[in-house]
Amino acid sequence: MNDELSGAIEEAAAIVKNARHVVALVGAGLSAESGVPTFRGPEGLWTKHGEPDLRDYDRFVEDPKRWWEMRISRQSRFGEFVEALDRAQPNAGHLALREMEELGYLKHIITQNIDNLHQLAGSAAITEIHGNRTKLRCVACAARWPLDEFPIEELPPQCPLCGGVVKGDTVMFGEPIPRDALDECSNQTWQCDCMLLIGTSAVVYPAAGFPIDVKGMGGHLIEVNPNETPLTRHADVILRSLAGEALPKLVQRLREMAAEGERHA
Ligand code: NAD
Ligand code: ZN
């Protein structure tokens, strides 16, 4: 480990250890090491294929049946992305977050990812702002079901609870973020006195605003990203490294500190 990174890990571990309520704000960068491409950045999908159509949700609302037919036939310009998601497994970064939660240091994950990898890694306290690709959701009452527990008999499928239209849980361009997820994010941000900013370019709102609120209330920000982001200038500590390398080192240091604490007790 270079000196700069080991110094930053030391500082980050001290902040996490002394914090009351640590929250991780996660973006596509965390899953990059699981083989899922990010949207932005040099290897990003949008950089390679251009920005997507921002009228996605309007199209769905206009003709949900057509949207479902497309989904079932898997017609997408982003076939490469879907295949990568199908194959992806949690990496060392996801596992380190699960360990931080088990050790009692991490209270919640707010993720912008839709890939279900936090659940596969075993994390429990998760809010998915952009939904989860393995679930369906009713647009009217926000009830959610795992894909394989919802029999699709007609298109578009209807909610058995309220009769509303059912769609994929993943939030589309132009679709409002589900109220329950937004409320939980506010609740977590209010309590948070240390936010880990992991693999997010922090330009997508509302997520980009949470760290600013934490900072405004006197909390600490720790950025984990190999590249600079618009949040870098607000960060107290910067781990300039891949999440799959930096997060296990942070957990290791927290374990050592806990053991040292026990020896001195
Ligand atoms: P982004 O694509 O805009 O930015 C990715 C960030 O991750 C960049 O800052 C980059 O420097 C950083 N990064 C790249 N590799 C990294 C690594 N190994 N470790 C740590 N950081 C790394 O991602 P975003 O900010 O999350 O916004 C894009 C939106 O697209 C998200 O809101 C999400 O809904 C969606 N998305 C999801 C997935 C997924 O579910 N895995 C993948 C792509 C995009
Ligand atoms: Zn419903």
Side-chain angles (χ1 to χ4, degrees):
M1 195 171 10
N2 65 43
D3 282 353
E4 203 177 317
L5 182 60
S6 65
I9 296 270
E10 195 63 36
E11 278 180 63
I15 292 175
V16 168
K17 183 170 166 273
N18 291 321
R20 212 180 45 248
H21 195 93
V22 180
V23 173
L25 177 66
V26 173
L30 178 65
S31 296
E33 289 160 84
S34 296
V36 182
T38 58
F39 282 171
R40 300 176 185 80
E43 286 303 307
L45 282 180
W46 295 350
T47 318
K48 289 202 274 182
H49 302 288
E51 297 246 339
D53 189 339
L54 298 180
R55 289 169 307 158
D56 257 5
Y57 188 61
D58 289 347
R59 289 233 176 84
F60 169 79
V61 172
E62 271 164 30
D63 194 347
K65 183 163 185 273
R66 166 121 185 87
W67 180 87
W68 269 98
E69 285 164 355
M70 301 266 288
R71 179 184 163 119
I72 287 165
S73 67
R74 283 199 142 192
Q75 286 173 30
S76 161
R77 281 196 309 143
F78 293 105
E80 177 193 340
F81 185 53
V82 174
E83 281 164 27
L85 285 166
D86 283 344
R87 280 193 305 269
Q89 291 299 318
N91 65 53
H94 296 101
L95 297 175
L97 289 181
R98 188 215 53 213
E99 227 181 313
M100 272 182 82
E101 183 181 52
E102 274 171 8
L103 293 168
Y105 291 114
L106 180 65
K107 296 292 190 283
H108 204 88
I109 295 172
I110 297 176
T111 188
Q112 299 164 84
N113 297 344
I114 52 140
D115 53 29
N116 201 43
L117 294 183
H118 293 294
Q119 284 86 346
L120 288 180
S123 289
I126 308 163
T127 297
E128 296 166 304
I129 319 181
H130 296 158
N132 182 312
R133 68 185 295 264
T134 70
K135 291 184 190 159
L136 298 176
R137 169 167 46 87
C138 168
V139 291
C141 75
R144 293 175 178 80
W145 305 267
L147 267 175
D148 52 8
E149 287 175 23
F150 192 101
I152 295 175
E153 282 149 8
E154 53 174 340
L155 296 183
Q158 279 192 357
C159 172
L161 304 173
C162 80
V165 175
V166 171
K167 67 180 280 294
D169 183 33
T170 307
V171 174
M172 295 172 165
F173 293 103
E175 179 181 355
I177 292 181
R179 190 74 249 170
D180 54 352
L182 263 188
D183 286 349
E184 187 56 28
C185 289
S186 302
N187 173 26
Q188 289 300 324
T189 302
W190 272 112
Q191 297 180 66
C192 177
D193 59 349
C194 169
M195 191 170 263
L196 304 174
L197 314 171
I198 306 170
T200 179
S201 53
V203 290
V204 184
Y205 277 84
F210 306 145
I212 305 299
D213 291 343
V214 170
K215 196 73 192 170
M217 294 182 295
H220 289 100
L221 301 179
I222 299 172
E223 177 165 76
V224 184
N225 198 314
N227 303 304
E228 197 173 317
T229 76
L231 283 176
T232 299
R233 66 191 175 92
H234 302 286
D236 298 280
V237 182
I238 300 159
L239 307 183
R240 264 292 162 259
S241 171
L242 303 176
E245 289 174 15
L247 291 174
K249 283 177 180 145
L250 178 59
V251 173
Q252 168 70 19
R253 193 60 199 113
L254 286 167
R255 280 193 183 284
E256 286 166 10
M257 282 175 164
E260 282 161 18
E262 270 170 28
R263 269 203 300 280
H264 294 151

